Amino acid sequence: MDGRTGMMAPDDGTTLRDLFETLRQGAVSRRRAVVALTLDGELLTPERQDILAGRKPGEFDLLEVRTADPVQFSLATIDGLQAHLQNMVKTHQDVTAAVTAGEYGKTLDKGDACFQGWDILLRAVRDVGFICGADFKKIDAGGRTMDLRIRQLQDVLLRFSSCLEFKDVARVAEIVDHELRLRLEDWKAVTDALRLHVNRQGGRS
């Protein structure tokens, strides 16, 4: 599965969505997972894949595919996320320190860094769940399902993003202090629960 392939137009009506799905199914049949797709030099995010999904393969020249062992890749990602969570503690503290000092421009900059940190965490957890076939509605994470944790975080981040866009410094600081900071421990439980699921999928204790 790994490597490069010239982009030939297979059949009329075949789309990139079809091709991506075929590649993923082929990887699964070999006990691998597609972890990166690079199209004509552009690393495709999930959002970018959705945008291009209806295009024909013959419109492009080169597709590079990277696969990995799903369990090893997922565990390595979770290790990185747990370190990421530790770093996010300071990011939240930086927002509070900036607003306390009356540095409102810095508050917004640190708030944006905080938003990006949570966004990275959320996307990575979803990616691992997809690769390992996790049903987030059935996985307990600190007394609530992972699905509920994700939906609650999405709601907060939507409001937080709006506050950043409108430069509402007071609300940015309030959301960081009274909502996001409190979720850091919850999301450690999320990564712990996801690690347990991945280990079970891989036949590990």
Side-chain angles (χ1 to χ4, degrees):
M1 290 296 301
D2 295 283
R4 303 181 176 189
T5 180
M7 298 293 285
M8 304 290 290
D11 299 304
D12 289 340
T14 298
T15 64
L16 284 176
R17 178 186 288 108
D18 301 325
L19 179 59
F20 295 158
E21 183 59 28
T22 297
L23 289 169
R24 291 190 176 100
Q25 290 176 359
V28 168
S29 71
R30 295 169 173 79
R31 298 186 179 180
R32 305 282 287 179
V34 173
V35 297
L37 294 169
T38 303
L39 184 62
D40 286 351
E42 177 189 0
L43 180 62
L44 301 181
T45 63
E47 292 78 12
R48 186 64 173 152
Q49 290 177 39
D50 287 341
I51 291 170
L52 296 174
R55 302 275 293 275
K56 294 184 178 181
E59 297 178 36
F60 304 89
D61 295 320
L62 184 68
L63 177 67
E64 298 173 70
V65 183
R66 185 164 71 89
T67 69
D69 176 275
V71 172
Q72 292 179 1
F73 179 81
S74 296
L75 290 175
T77 300
I78 293 168
D79 285 342
L81 290 180
Q82 293 184 329
H84 180 69
L85 274 168
Q86 290 298 317
N87 294 333
M88 285 175 63
V89 172
K90 184 178 185 306
T91 306
H92 289 67
Q93 293 171 343
D94 288 344
V95 174
T96 302
V99 75
T100 300
E103 298 175 318
Y104 300 136
K106 186 175 181 180
T107 300
L108 293 173
D109 289 342
K110 295 297 183 180
D112 185 66
C114 187
F115 175 86
Q116 296 301 328
W118 280 106
D119 189 56
I120 288 169
L121 177 65
L122 183 57
R123 289 172 186 270
V125 164
R126 283 170 160 172
D127 287 346
V128 169
F130 176 78
I131 288 171
C132 289
D135 185 346
F136 289 154
K137 293 181 179 179
K138 296 181 179 178
I139 300 177
D140 178 78
R144 296 183 181 180
T145 65
M146 284 185 60
D147 178 68
L148 182 57
R149 296 283 189 203
I150 288 171
R151 287 189 285 110
Q152 289 175 332
L153 179 59
Q154 286 175 319
D155 177 66
V156 176
L157 290 181
L158 184 63
R159 289 184 284 110
F160 191 47
S161 175
S162 179
C163 292
L164 287 168
E165 181 180 355
F166 290 101
K167 303 185 187 307
D168 188 339
V169 174
R171 283 290 291 148
V172 165
E174 181 182 356
I175 290 174
V176 168
D177 273 342
H178 299 292
E179 296 191 63
L180 291 175
R181 186 197 300 272
L182 302 179
R183 295 181 189 277
L184 289 169
E185 195 63 30
D186 293 338
W187 275 75
K188 183 181 183 303
V190 168
T191 58
D192 286 342
L194 192 56
R195 177 188 294 280
L196 181 61
H197 172 81
V198 171
N199 278 326
R200 285 173 174 167
Q201 290 292 98
R204 306 179 187 185
S205 58

